[in-house]
Amino acid sequence: MPLFKKRTVGKPGEWYYCLEHQKVEEGPDCPNKDRFGPYASRAEAEHAMATARERNLQWENDPKWHDASAGDSDSDRGRGGEG
């Protein structure tokens, strides 16, 4: 067991949402891979999952990023197939 615990980088006053523990933390207590943030306030961190859901929905419905389904042909996607 190491003598000193390696701390994650962050500052007091920064708020994070820990995905593993499903709770808000001030300063990063958990590794980067397990958290969202930093957020400017505790309230923003408390709404992290709702914010992520909203952003995912926006991304899924954004025509600039919407991938055509695998069954579509090139002409259906506006790329001018050989037809």
Side-chain angles (χ1 to χ4, degrees), residues 16-73:
Y16 296 86
Y17 183 81
C18 176
L19 299 167
E20 183 177 333
H21 300 111
Q22 299 180 358
K23 68 176 187 150
V24 173
E25 302 171 342
E26 184 177 11
D29 287 337
C30 294
N32 286 339
K33 68 180 181 67
D34 294 331
R35 65 178 190 221
F36 286 156
Y39 296 95
S41 69
R42 180 180 188 88
E44 284 182 43
E46 288 171 348
H47 295 99
M49 294 304 293
T51 301
R53 277 191 297 275
E54 290 170 13
R55 289 179 180 167
N56 285 343
L57 188 59
Q58 289 172 352
W59 177 79
E60 289 169 2
N61 293 310
D62 186 342
K64 294 183 292 187
W65 296 104
H66 182 70
D67 292 337
S69 65
D72 291 345
S73 68

